[in-house]
Amino acid sequence: MGRTKEELLARLEELKIDFKRHDHPVVLTVEEQAKHVGNFGGALTKNLLLKDKKHRLYIVSALADTKVDMKILSQRLGLGKGGVRMAPEENLRQVLQVPLGCVTPFALFNESASAVSLLLDQGFKSKQSCYFHPLTNDVTIALSSSNLDKFLLSIGKQPAYVDLEASPVVGKDNPPDLADLVPSGAFCSSEESVENPTPKDAPQVNVPKEKTCLPEVKAKPKVQNKGAESSESKVLTNNGPNVEIFASDVLEVIFPLFLSEASKKLNIKQEELTQILKLDDFKRRAAPDLESVTNMFKNMAYTAGFHAGFDTMLKSGLGGMPSRK
């Protein structure tokens, strides 16, 4: 069970946070909420729960009239154009532990939501107060951005204010500006089993708990040949590493090792095991996740290189910001 509205409001009072409470009937949209609190002077907000391909979650909290382009936001996070989408209602119940219509920064009060990333509209700072639901949508509270910050810091969450309408160029010379806001881990929920169901005809294999990892596989000596040079040239292009080809190459190495070890343990020919487990389908499902992780590390490397170059310029006394295209 998640924490209650009463517990949250008690915490705000304990922190001596100034807020105004407005009780009203249950509302599910900003338009419905405006009918009850729109004339009290606070700024209406909208709150989105997003999910990326690695099942990491993001709350985007913005002024009601702020335009949020998810494709641009995804690129700024370093996840590609289609890296984030609306999270299913299941994540509201299991992770945020709030009902539909109650996504706000206050949902992070629940410990189950501690790993959720929060992006706040920088427009909040220009408003005297903003409206949010306190874990239920039959109440609205109004408070300033400074008081919201005070609450977030009390639960160990560093406030991150973002210009959500900005559209900066992202590329080799311009690393994604919001990459630091991507959560470090992935969520595990029953949703993964829904999106990637186990084939009905796949055998149930009981693996002993003490042997959860594949045995060590000794690497074969590397042989230089024209094919290897060709593959390397495809991965490394003028625009940097080709993430899709790299991910495909990694899977081509991993799956034969998996087949080899699994066939020995189960005493089944590799060809039969491939058909039973439908590994081609597994590859197609695994590829986007591997590409997402690879792209994230690539962008992190670009960011590190950018800062290293800038620090070097400062130390050498050249000064000035590096030019951006």
Side-chain angles (χ1 to χ4, degrees):
M1 291 290 292
R3 287 173 169 167
T4 65
K5 168 183 61 182
E6 288 74 20
E7 289 177 307
L8 172 60
L9 297 179
R11 171 63 68 87
L12 297 181
E13 292 176 352
E14 179 185 336
L15 294 170
K16 300 187 183 325
I17 289 177
D18 183 32
F19 67 92
K20 293 182 179 179
R21 171 174 174 166
H22 304 285
D23 292 88
H24 52 71
V26 171
V27 295
L28 292 175
T29 66
V30 176
E31 290 75 18
E32 292 178 10
Q33 183 186 31
K35 295 177 182 178
H36 303 286
V37 300
N39 296 324
F40 296 144
L44 293 166
T45 67
K46 59 184 176 183
N47 298 270
L48 310 174
L49 180 62
L50 307 180
K51 185 188 76 167
D52 65 20
K53 294 178 180 179
K54 292 296 294 181
H55 302 280
R56 294 169 297 203
L57 298 176
Y58 309 76
I59 290 178
V60 177
S61 186
L63 294 173
D65 57 357
T66 295
K67 296 179 181 179
V68 180
D69 188 317
M70 288 201 291
K71 289 184 179 180
I72 294 176
L73 179 62
S74 180
Q75 287 182 302
R76 295 176 67 189
L77 289 167
L79 303 175
K81 290 185 177 180
V84 294
R85 58 186 174 87
M86 297 297 295
E89 186 177 349
E90 176 184 290
N91 290 139
L92 271 71
R93 299 192 306 268
Q94 293 187 353
V95 181
L96 300 188
Q97 298 192 52
V98 296
L100 190 65
C102 297
V103 176
T104 73
F106 291 116
L108 302 182
F109 189 40
N110 288 315
E111 293 181 4
S112 57
S114 61
V116 177
S117 181
L118 175 63
L119 285 72
L120 299 168
D121 190 344
Q122 70 175 16
F124 287 169
K125 293 186 176 183
S126 65
K127 303 298 181 180
Q128 185 174 357
S129 65
C130 298
Y131 290 137
F132 302 97
H133 291 311
L135 304 181
T136 61
N137 50 0
D138 58 352
V139 176
T140 294
I141 61 173
L143 77 169
S144 65
S145 61
S146 60
N147 279 320
L148 176 61
D149 293 350
K150 190 174 182 180
F151 165 76
L152 292 172
L153 291 171
S154 76
I155 60 173
K157 184 69 70 173
Q158 184 67 36
Y161 287 90
V162 177
D163 181 358
L164 293 171
E165 293 187 333
S167 182
V169 176
V170 177
K172 185 177 180 180
D173 297 326
N174 300 285
D177 60 320
L178 304 181
D180 290 342
L181 299 180
V182 175
S184 59
F187 291 94
C188 295
S189 69
S190 59
E191 179 194 352
E192 295 184 35
S193 62
V194 173
E195 291 190 350
N196 302 308
T198 302
K200 295 181 179 179
D201 55 346
Q204 298 296 322
V205 181
N206 295 321
V207 181
K209 292 183 179 180
E210 66 275 13
K211 296 181 180 180
T212 56
C213 299
L214 289 175
E216 181 180 357
V217 179
K218 295 182 179 180
K220 295 181 180 180
K222 186 175 180 181
V223 180
Q224 281 286 359
N225 54 49
K226 295 182 179 179
E229 294 175 356
S230 175
S231 177
E232 183 178 2
S233 65
K234 290 180 180 178
V235 174
L236 298 176
T237 66
N238 293 332
N239 296 323
N242 187 310
V243 172
E244 293 182 2
I245 294 178
F246 173 78
S248 177
D249 289 348
V250 170
L251 293 175
E252 289 300 325
V253 172
I254 292 176
F255 276 87
L257 292 175
F258 168 78
L259 276 176
S260 176
E261 295 300 325
S263 64
K264 291 178 183 178
K265 296 290 184 181
L266 301 174
N267 196 24
I268 301 176
K269 292 182 179 180
Q270 293 188 25
E271 295 78 9
E272 296 177 359
L273 193 59
T274 300
Q275 294 179 353
I276 293 173
L277 297 180
K278 298 182 179 179
L279 290 185
D280 288 337
D281 291 338
F282 286 175
K283 285 184 182 180
R284 283 193 290 271
R285 291 201 296 267
D289 287 346
L290 183 55
E291 290 171 13
S292 177
V293 173
T294 304
N295 201 44
M296 180 181 70
F297 281 114
K298 184 183 77 171
N299 290 327
M300 288 172 63
Y302 284 156
T303 302
F306 179 85
H307 289 300
F310 181 70
D311 291 341
T312 301
M313 290 180 63
L314 291 179
K315 290 178 181 178
S316 64
L318 295 177
M321 287 292 292
S323 60
R324 294 191 176 213
K325 295 181 179 179

